[in-house]
Amino acid sequence: MKITITGASGFVGTNLSIYLKDKHHSIDALSLRGNWLTNFNPTVDAIIHLAGKAHDTKNTSDAQDYFNINTELTKEVFQKFLQSEIQDFFYFSSVKAVADTVEGLLTEEAQPQPITPYGKSKIEAEKYLLQQNLPAGKRLFIIRPCMIHGPGNKGNLNLLYEVVEKGIPWPLAAFENKRAFLSIDNLSFLILKMIQNKDLSSGIYNFADDQSVSTNNLVTIISDVLGKKAKLLKIPKSLFSSIAKIGDVTKLPLNTERLQKLTENYEVSNQKIKSALGIQHLPLTAEQGLRKTIESFKQK
């Protein structure tokens, strides 16, 4: 099968391209910089639109940039898809298009209430795609992944690894939380199964590992991979909330959004996509995926 991937040079795009090539699919990497229309191949079987502006937790990005890239560029790519022979369009949205905080388990039926420009730009793109008339024979898949990780990935998981590696006690152990993760291996597996299943209906699908993991569990896993004893420090929550508020107006590394990201409950259901594909369990458990990612940090 021939597949076009936008954003193929990013973390997800690189890993997904390798995975699909290993499964004997032909990958056409399409850069959306410059005059990309001349390089658009209208005869492939599927297009996976990964290109987008990632969420900037430092809040240094211009809000309009999110809409220019995540919304407007997606509209252009989708219009080319509608005019082409391509059958399947995968749009990588985000769970943040629906909610920045979650009470209970986030499902596809939740009413979207994004707060950040990132989330709003993603939901605007989703709305546009769903409003278009989809010709017979074409399918539209809107993927809402939670936090993606894997070997070579940088970000909050890497930052937490560095904290544990330096022997610094985890000071937020008083926050008992559970949150969803998504290993790049499970993500790639789901995309492959969706491409292969011609009976799968268009729709919105959450992507997450089968189990949620608390940050305290995560610190314990990292410590175990490093051969260290986990250091969990239970400091009153109110103290950290005050420090984070100072970080909102200064250059402190901890602000309210980052504190929330580190301590919130954010559980995501993956039942809809598993039921649709007839899958009971994803290849890797959440802990197996996290251990694989953390092992890769040791090799830096």
Side-chain angles (χ1 to χ4, degrees):
M1 188 175 286
K2 295 180 180 177
I3 303 166
T4 289
I5 298 180
T6 72
S9 62
F11 167 68
V12 174
T14 299
N15 283 276
L16 183 58
S17 296
I18 293 171
Y19 184 90
L20 293 176
K21 284 178 182 176
D22 286 345
K23 303 301 181 183
H24 310 296
H25 293 289
S26 174
I27 302 301
D28 173 23
L30 175 64
S31 170
L32 298 182
R33 298 181 186 276
N35 186 20
W36 59 271
L37 292 172
T38 57
N39 297 320
F40 186 88
N41 185 348
T43 63
V44 298
D45 300 294
I47 180 166
I48 300 174
H49 181 41
L50 294 170
K53 182 169 176 56
H55 190 197
D56 171 22
T57 56
K58 295 180 180 177
N59 296 325
T60 58
S61 298
D62 185 337
Q64 188 58 42
D65 287 347
Y66 290 107
F67 292 94
N68 292 341
I69 298 171
N70 295 341
T71 309
E72 298 305 320
L73 192 54
T74 297
K75 291 180 182 179
E76 294 180 30
V77 177
F78 193 69
Q79 283 302 318
K80 291 298 293 181
F81 161 73
L82 291 178
Q83 298 162 13
S84 73
E85 301 173 11
I86 305 171
Q87 294 180 327
D88 294 339
F89 189 94
F90 290 78
Y91 171 59
F92 264 72
S93 182
S94 168
V95 289
K96 294 296 185 180
V98 182
D100 283 78
T101 59
V102 174
E103 294 291 336
L105 194 61
L106 184 68
T107 69
E108 290 83 349
E109 286 70 40
Q111 186 66 31
Q113 293 181 318
I115 295 175
T116 64
Y118 170 77
K120 291 178 181 177
S121 68
K122 287 289 189 180
I123 200 64
E124 286 303 311
E126 286 191 18
K127 289 178 181 176
Y128 175 83
L129 299 183
L130 294 171
Q131 288 169 353
Q132 306 310 299
N133 183 27
L134 199 62
K138 287 183 181 290
R139 299 188 296 179
L140 166 63
F141 301 116
I142 294 176
I143 310 300
R144 291 177 179 165
C146 60
M147 180 181 167
I148 305 167
H149 66 88
N153 181 220
K154 297 179 180 178
N156 289 328
L157 203 56
N158 192 294
L159 292 175
L160 186 59
Y161 172 85
E162 291 179 358
V163 168
V164 177
E165 185 184 36
K166 292 175 181 175
I168 301 172
W170 176 241
L172 302 174
F175 294 84
E176 296 291 344
N177 66 339
K178 282 190 174 181
R179 61 176 303 118
F181 292 88
L182 174 63
S183 78
I184 190 67
D185 291 339
N186 285 340
L187 179 153
S188 299
F189 169 82
L190 286 171
I191 292 295
L192 175 66
K193 291 300 180 185
M194 293 176 78
I195 290 171
Q196 293 174 332
N197 190 331
K198 294 303 178 185
D199 294 326
L200 182 65
S201 300
S202 295
I204 300 171
Y205 296 99
N206 288 346
F207 275 18
D209 290 336
D210 289 334
Q211 305 85 16
S212 298
V213 177
S214 73
T215 305
N216 288 348
N217 287 150
L218 187 52
V219 170
T220 302
I221 292 170
I222 294 172
S223 301
D224 189 53
V225 171
L226 289 169
K228 296 186 174 187
K229 183 179 179 180
K231 297 179 180 178
L232 300 169
L233 204 56
K234 293 190 176 182
I235 297 174
K237 299 177 183 178
S238 57
L239 177 60
F240 276 103
S241 296
S242 299
I243 295 173
K245 288 178 181 176
I246 296 173
D248 291 341
V249 294
T250 66
K251 293 184 178 180
L252 283 178
L254 185 68
N255 56 32
T256 300
E257 187 176 355
R258 278 191 164 175
L259 179 61
Q260 178 181 318
K261 205 175 184 70
L262 289 167
T263 61
E264 68 184 352
N265 288 314
Y266 204 109
E267 295 190 89
V268 178
S269 170
N270 64 6
Q271 193 55 53
K272 181 179 177 182
I273 187 59
K274 288 199 301 183
S275 296
L277 294 173
I279 297 168
Q280 289 193 332
H281 304 290
L282 296 182
L284 295 184
T285 65
E287 180 169 342
Q288 287 172 331
L290 287 165
R291 283 183 177 275
K292 186 174 180 180
T293 297
I294 295 162
E295 285 283 358
S296 75
F297 296 158
K298 291 170 62 178
Q299 301 166 10
K300 289 187 299 181

